[in-house]
């Protein structure tokens, strides 16, 4: 008696386990329609899709046609909304694939629509029919569904020129890059340099003449050097040094050589010039002119 009870229990467990394993996703009430622009309601091609058998003949999708699939997803023959359901298209020659998601309701009723404009350029240029499969899957123990449903032949518009697809971007080794650097800037013509040099040198006698005209007193030079010899010497020397820096930049130095030296000379000019001007102010306050 106990053996019979255990046998019945084992058979029941095996039955329910087999039933659970056999549960799988699928669909029902599926229809495929291809309707051209301006054909009206009910016009165009209409086919019923079976989850167990693909259509025997391929369907044609013209340039102005719209392909629509309506279906009801099922989990073990009960209407239910899965986690994902989409129409997968595959180009048999290259193996490229693309997918279009079904818009689903809670009742499991779904719909997907597409035209040639929704297809990649490689699919529109395909000379062979595209393989269309329906995929339905979700979480849980139910087996997902993926089967070929039909083939699609892409019919191009003869009045529209076919544009070849662009070459896809591939990451890899590129060709060696040879940099072409600009030549160093050249100095202005020598004739211009000589002209402005003569102008500067000619202005020096005019400067000295103006000093004598307004009453420049050179007799104060010994007093100035005696009161602040270092400041006056450094100030005058830094001015000459700055002119030398400009000359070197003009003839041979670049900007990276010139800037550090110019900054150093400028600091000396600022500090020594401040002290030299202080000494001059003291003599002015003392009434020496």
């Amino acid at each position: 008696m106990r053996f019979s009870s255990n046998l019945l229990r084992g058979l029941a467990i095996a039955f329910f386990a087999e039933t659970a394993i056999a549960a799988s996703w699928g669909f029902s009430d599926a229809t495929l329609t291809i309707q051209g622009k301006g054909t009206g309601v009910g016009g165009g091609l209409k086919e019923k899709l079976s989850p167990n058998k693909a259509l025997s003949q391929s369907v044609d999708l013209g340039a102005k046609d719209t392909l629509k699939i309506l279906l009801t997803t099922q989990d073990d023959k009960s209407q239910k909304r899965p986690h994902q359901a989409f129409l997968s298209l595959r180009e048999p020659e290259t193996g490229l694939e693309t997918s279009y998601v079904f818009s689903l309701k809670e009742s499991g009723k779904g719909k997907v629509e597409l035209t040639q404009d929704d297809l990649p350029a490689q699919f529109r240029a395909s000379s062979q029919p595209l393989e269309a499969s329906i995929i339905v899957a979700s979480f849980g123990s139910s087996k997902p569904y993926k089967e070929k449903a039909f083939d699609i032949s892409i019919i191009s518009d003869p009045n529209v020129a076919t544009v070849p697809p662009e070459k896809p971007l591939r990451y890899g080794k590129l060709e060696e890059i040879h940099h072409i650097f600009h030549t160093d800037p050249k100095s202005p013509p020598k004739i211009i340099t000589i002209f402005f040099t003569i102008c500067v040198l000619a202005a020096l006698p005019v400067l000295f003449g103006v000093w004598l005209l307004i009453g420049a007193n050179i007799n104060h030079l010994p007093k100035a050097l005696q009161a602040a010899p270092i400041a006056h010497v450094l100030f005058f020397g830094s001015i000459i040094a700055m002119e030398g820096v400009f000359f070197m930049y003009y003839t041979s130095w670049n900007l990276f050589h010139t800037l550090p030296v110019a900054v150093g000379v400028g600091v000396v000019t600022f500090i020594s010039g401040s002290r030299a001007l202080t000494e001059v102010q003291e003599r002015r306050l003392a009434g020496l002119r």
Side-chain angles (χ1 to χ4, degrees), residues 79-275:
Q79 297 181 2
K80 188 177 179 181
R81 178 180 180 179
H83 178 257
Q84 56 184 354
F86 48 89
L87 176 68
S88 176
L89 300 182
R90 180 178 180 272
E91 207 284 320
E93 185 175 354
T94 61
L96 295 176
E97 294 186 12
T98 186
S99 300
Y100 302 90
V101 179
F102 280 89
S103 58
L104 295 169
K105 297 181 180 180
E106 292 296 331
S107 61
K109 294 184 180 298
K111 180 180 70 172
V112 65
E113 293 184 5
L114 62 94
T115 63
Q116 282 197 21
D117 293 337
D118 300 321
L119 300 177
Q122 293 83 352
F123 283 34
R124 294 195 300 269
S126 176
S127 59
Q128 300 182 13
L130 306 178
E131 298 176 359
S133 302
I134 296 178
I135 300 175
V136 183
S138 188
F139 302 107
S141 59
S142 296
K143 182 180 178 181
Y145 174 87
K146 180 182 179 182
E147 294 292 342
K148 178 181 175 181
F150 54 92
D151 292 327
I152 306 177
S153 297
I154 306 301
I155 308 301
S156 302
D157 188 351
N159 299 322
V160 178
T162 303
V163 179
E166 296 182 0
K167 186 177 180 180
L169 177 63
R170 303 296 184 189
Y171 293 98
K173 183 179 179 181
L174 300 178
E175 297 180 358
E176 183 180 0
I177 300 176
H178 297 279
H179 294 281
I180 300 176
F181 298 95
H182 295 289
T183 57
D184 294 334
K186 298 181 179 180
S187 301
K190 292 184 178 180
I191 186 64
I192 298 179
T193 304
I194 296 174
F195 172 75
F196 282 100
T197 302
I198 294 175
C199 292
V200 172
L201 295 177
L204 292 179
V206 178
L207 176 63
F208 293 142
V210 172
W211 281 353
L212 295 176
L213 182 63
I214 63 176
N217 194 350
I218 304 179
N219 295 329
H220 288 179
L221 182 60
K223 295 182 179 180
L225 293 177
Q226 185 178 2
I230 297 177
H232 285 287
V233 172
L234 287 179
F235 180 65
F236 185 75
S238 63
I239 295 176
I240 298 176
M242 187 62 74
E243 296 297 331
V245 170
F246 291 150
F247 176 77
M248 293 300 297
Y249 175 66
Y250 180 78
T251 55
S252 60
W253 285 1
N254 57 29
L255 191 62
F256 296 103
H257 289 93
T258 305
L259 286 178
V261 179
V263 171
V265 174
V267 172
V268 174
T269 304
F270 177 78
I271 296 175
S272 60
S274 299
R275 182 66 188 91

